[in-house]
Amino acid sequence: MTHLVPFDGSALASAALEKASAYGELTDDDVVAVTVIPDDDEYARERGWIGAGEPFDVDAIAAGMRERVADIAPDTTFRTEIVDSDEPTATATTNVVRTIRRVASDVDASVVFVGTENAGSVTTPLSSVGGPLAKDQHYDVYVVRHTDAV
């Protein structure tokens, strides 16, 4: 079985990766972290991937995320997915969710570990991937809402 962790470098995503890694060790399951990078410099700035004056560089962002994942969970397989943000009817977040769902299917994920403080809330912010991922019935969802140690 495979545990999938959408990883954006946030404290909650880092906590989700720690938990997935711990569970993977206990159950002898693989852990895959995926960073989805929309080709959108504003999205990258909002997440702190690049600073105000820095150029948008997908390779640099991916390398930074790979390094952060390796620091947290060295045995984790890391994937980067680049998505086109030019689709007129979808937000960057919608494209990220679609991509994570596709990767979950590709790796045959049994559990998706999502770091979010609002998955399952009555109102879901447009920028969160937690709520939409939690609706998928193809895998279990482990919601990490706190950054406490494993």
Side-chain angles (χ1 to χ4, degrees), residues 51-137:
E54 290 182 84
F56 179 71
D57 181 345
V58 170
D59 293 333
I61 293 169
M65 291 296 155
R66 178 181 303 277
E67 188 174 308
R68 290 172 82 174
V69 166
D71 287 345
I72 296 166
D75 295 329
T76 297
T77 300
F78 179 76
R79 285 178 67 156
T80 304
E81 299 288 330
I82 313 303
V83 295
D84 184 8
S85 296
D86 289 338
E87 186 179 331
T89 60
T91 66
T93 300
T94 301
N95 288 330
V96 168
V97 169
R98 285 182 192 157
T99 303
I100 294 168
R101 284 181 170 162
R102 181 182 49 76
V103 171
S105 177
D106 289 351
V107 302
D108 196 24
S110 56
V111 181
V112 176
F113 284 73
V114 180
T116 183
E117 40 193 32
N118 55 32
S121 297
V122 175
T123 58
T124 303
L126 293 175
S127 63
S128 173
V129 301
L133 286 177
K135 292 179 184 176
D136 198 312
Q137 301 297 314

Side-chain angles (χ1 to χ4, degrees), residues 4-88:
L4 179 66
V5 183
F7 187 81
D8 65 1
S10 67
L12 285 170
S14 297
L17 180 57
E18 289 175 9
K19 291 191 186 292
S21 179
Y23 277 86
E25 287 178 24
L26 290 172
T27 60
D28 199 30
D29 291 331
D30 295 327
V31 178
V32 176
V34 60
T35 296
V36 181
I37 305 172
D39 62 353
D40 178 347
D41 59 342
E42 184 177 325
Y43 186 93
R45 279 186 182 68
E46 288 172 358
R47 275 143 192 83
W49 296 348
I50 58 174
E54 290 182 84
F56 179 71
D57 181 345
V58 170
D59 293 333
I61 293 169
M65 291 296 155
R66 178 181 303 277
E67 188 174 308
R68 290 172 82 174
V69 166
D71 287 345
I72 296 166
D75 295 329
T76 297
T77 300
F78 179 76
R79 285 178 67 156
T80 304
E81 299 288 330
I82 313 303
V83 295
D84 184 8
S85 296
D86 289 338
E87 186 179 331

